[in-house]
Amino acid sequence: MSKLLESLRNATKKIEAQLADSSLFTHSGEIGAIRENIISRFLRPYLPDCYSIGTGQIFDSTDTMSKQIDVILYDQLFSTALFKGDGILLLPYESVYGTIEVKSNLSSAELITAMNNIVSVRALQRADSNITFGLPHYGGTVSNKPGNLITFDKRRANCPLNIIFAYDGLTKDNCLENLASRVASATPEEKLLMPDFIFNFKRGYMITKGQKKPDGWWIALREFIGSPEFDGYFAIETGGDTLAMFYLTTNSFLNKIRLNALNPAEYWNKLFTEINIGNSTATSGT
């Protein structure tokens, strides 16, 4: 483990210089695009090859579309990615492990924009999966009837991981204040659509969902570890290890997600039915 942390800390020094150099550009759009690319390049060597990284939009089975997403983490092996190789992807929700919104300067307005982008993803529809799904294209069920020796956790296992990564911006306290205001006015359903983690590189902190306990805050990501509904957000000072913690958080929670991949047979059956109904020249063969 020490070798991994050493490598991550060495990479942090390189990425810090690249992020600082991106400030030489004067156009905010170019700075943002460059920093999205830097973050993707930082993650790539440390993520298993089963995960791919891109940018674009996500759609579901109802043809509802997400907003433009900065960084999409999706299945490399079994996913259906449209326009792959053209720079901007169009991905079915079934192929998506998570998303990252990259912000150069996380102001109150930019925080709202990032959270709205995340809502546009988390509100999409896809069939649930559970821990019995070993591979995205091959799910299964195990009997959980009383008296059987094998039991399993049937909680949803394909809720996406959603992160906001900021180069600079709001202080820890100001960010928490903004989040507290959003949580206070949100319905239980709206709270489930909120981001899981926020990282601020220059300010050196991470923020995540938590449950308030007598001895302090405990992490409460119900979708991944079965915690009850979160009470609010709390912050941790990460200092110079913010990028290392960002990577370890990303990889740790991606490992908990089991995708229920798009089933081509369903589309085959639908198309076959449409063709068959529309084929007025079909005969009995006599």
Side-chain angles (χ1 to χ4, degrees):
M1 185 63 176
S2 61
K3 292 294 184 185
L4 175 59
L5 287 176
E6 183 180 353
S7 177
L8 286 167
R9 284 167 174 161
N10 289 337
T12 294
K13 298 172 186 175
K14 300 175 186 176
I15 297 300
E16 184 173 12
Q18 293 176 22
L19 289 169
D21 282 345
S22 65
S23 300
L24 297 173
F25 287 86
T26 58
H27 190 275
S28 60
E30 291 175 342
I31 294 173
I34 290 169
R35 286 178 175 164
E36 290 167 22
N37 191 36
I38 290 171
I39 294 305
S40 295
R41 291 205 317 269
F42 165 72
L43 283 174
R44 180 63 279 168
Y46 294 103
L47 288 179
D49 287 343
C50 60
Y51 304 115
S52 195
I53 303 175
T55 185
Q57 289 183 271
I58 303 164
F59 66 93
D60 67 12
S61 58
T62 69
D63 288 333
T64 302
M65 297 279 290
S66 75
K67 296 180 183 294
Q68 177 75 21
I69 304 301
D70 294 337
V71 178
I72 303 174
L73 303 164
Y74 66 98
D75 172 59
Q76 168 80 348
L77 302 177
F78 305 105
S79 67
T80 302
L82 306 181
F83 306 106
K84 196 171 183 179
D86 292 337
I88 304 231
L89 297 170
L90 193 57
L91 285 159
Y93 196 24
E94 289 82 358
S95 299
V96 175
Y97 282 100
T99 67
I100 303 169
E101 288 296 300
V102 180
K103 296 297 177 184
S104 292
N105 184 55
L106 189 65
S107 63
S108 297
E110 286 297 304
L111 177 61
I112 292 173
T113 297
M115 292 181 72
N116 287 340
N117 285 356
I118 288 170
V119 167
S120 78
V121 174
R122 299 195 81 152
L124 297 175
Q125 304 297 311
R126 66 179 175 186
D128 290 351
S129 70
N130 56 54
I131 200 64
T132 63
F133 282 71
L135 293 171
H137 74 307
Y138 188 75
T141 59
V142 179
S143 176
N144 200 30
K145 295 179 179 179
N148 287 352
L149 294 178
I150 299 175
T151 62
F152 67 97
D153 190 340
K154 297 179 70 174
R155 289 187 302 241
R156 182 180 182 185
N158 68 335
C159 205
L161 175 66
N162 298 111
I163 295 174
I164 299 172
F165 182 93
Y167 175 69
D168 202 347
L170 292 169
T171 65
K172 175 190 66 178
D173 292 338
N174 284 340
C175 193
L176 284 172
E177 184 179 339
N178 275 269
L179 290 167
S181 176
R182 290 293 292 262
V183 171
S185 63
T187 66
E189 293 76 18
E190 289 170 338
K191 286 172 71 175
L192 291 175
L193 304 180
M194 291 183 176
D196 301 306
F197 295 96
I198 299 172
F199 293 87
N200 191 307
F201 177 71
K202 291 284 283 186
R203 300 282 184 173
Y205 65 77
M206 65 175 283
I207 291 175
T208 187
K209 295 173 178 175
Q211 185 183 27
K212 186 69 172 176
K213 300 278 190 179
D215 57 346
W217 285 91
W218 289 73
I219 190 169
L221 298 177
R222 182 171 67 175
E223 303 91 334
F224 301 108
I225 57 177
S227 297
E229 184 177 333
F230 73 101
D231 299 319
Y233 286 90
F234 71 101
I236 300 170
E237 298 279 355
T238 49
D241 283 328
T242 301
L243 268 177
M245 182 57 79
F246 165 64
Y247 157 73
L248 290 171
T249 299
T250 302
N251 204 20
S252 295
F253 284 91
L254 288 179
N255 286 339
K256 299 178 184 298
I257 299 172
R258 300 291 183 268
L259 292 183
N260 184 355
L262 194 71
N263 184 0
E266 293 180 6
Y267 286 84
W268 186 93
N269 287 332
K270 181 179 179 181
L271 182 59
F272 181 85
T273 300
E274 289 178 357
I275 292 173
N276 198 39
I277 291 176
N279 187 359
S280 59
T281 61
T283 67
S284 62
T286 57

